[in-house]
């Protein structure tokens, strides 16, 4: 599994909010400059986070973004799953149309599923608050 820049940047931004946030909204430009992320690319990430209810957004003077929950309530897993579309190590462990046609006879599938579970458990047990320690 390779976490894309979108996933890594989303995680960096969420950590930024923990470190610099509070009740006030932080302008997108400020976050982009501080984190060295293109404002246009950051805008697409923030749209994803906002639509999923991970952050609050406000437009106009004094607008920007802020967390709407406590850092303990955000898992790294939830952020990465949102931005990456999942955390599967190999494509054959995905569900739905992309599921492996050999699943019923594959000797390696249980190993991949076990690894997926380990990765998921790790990221779901790590919160933004944990990253501050």
């Amino acid at each position: 599994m390779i976490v894309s820049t979108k996933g890594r940047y989303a995680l960096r931004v969420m950590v930024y909010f923990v470190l610099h946030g509070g009740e006030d909204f932080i302008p997108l430009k400020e976050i982009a400059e501080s984190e060295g992320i293109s404002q246009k690319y950051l805008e697409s990430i923030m749209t994803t986070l906002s639509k999923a209810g991970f952050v609050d957004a406000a437009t106009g003077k004094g607008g920007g973004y802020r967390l709407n929950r406590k850092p303990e309530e955000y898992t790294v897993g939830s952020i990465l799953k949102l931005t990456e579309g999942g955390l599967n190590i190999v494509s054959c462990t995905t569900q739905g149309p992309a599921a492996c046609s050999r699943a019923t006879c594959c000797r390696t599938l249980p190993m991949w599923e076990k690894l997926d579970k380990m990765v998921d458990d790790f990221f779901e047990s790590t919160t933004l608050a944990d990253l501050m320690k």
Side-chain angles (χ1 to χ4, degrees):
M1 171 184 78
I2 295 177
V3 177
S4 70
T5 55
K6 185 175 184 178
R8 293 191 324 269
Y9 288 0
L11 196 53
R12 278 176 46 194
V13 168
M14 296 296 278
V15 167
Y16 183 89
F17 285 125
V18 175
L19 294 172
H20 301 95
E23 296 298 313
D24 296 331
F25 287 91
I26 302 173
L28 184 74
K29 183 177 180 181
E30 177 184 322
I31 301 165
E33 288 175 358
S34 178
E35 289 299 307
I37 301 170
S38 152
Q39 192 168 336
K40 185 173 176 80
Y41 191 44
L42 184 57
E43 192 173 303
S44 73
I45 293 169
M46 295 311 300
T47 298
T48 300
L49 292 170
S50 179
K51 283 183 179 179
F54 283 52
V55 296
D56 289 329
T59 57
K61 186 174 176 138
Y65 297 90
R66 68 177 179 197
L67 295 182
N68 56 25
R69 293 179 256 163
K70 296 177 183 173
E72 304 81 39
E73 297 177 31
Y74 295 94
T75 66
V76 171
S78 65
I79 297 164
L80 292 177
K81 286 175 189 172
L82 174 65
T83 56
E84 298 297 314
L87 294 175
N88 299 81
I89 301 299
V90 292
S91 61
C92 60
T93 59
T94 59
Q95 302 299 318
C100 181
S101 61
R102 295 183 36 82
T104 58
C105 63
C106 180
R107 298 276 186 185
T108 63
L109 183 61
M111 174 193 65
W112 295 123
E113 290 173 333
K114 185 176 179 181
L115 182 57
D116 277 350
K117 183 173 178 355
M118 291 169 60
V119 169
D120 187 66
D121 289 348
F122 173 76
F123 284 130
E124 285 298 331
S125 69
T126 305
T127 67
L128 290 180
D130 293 328
L131 298 177
M132 299 303 109
K133 296 177 185 174

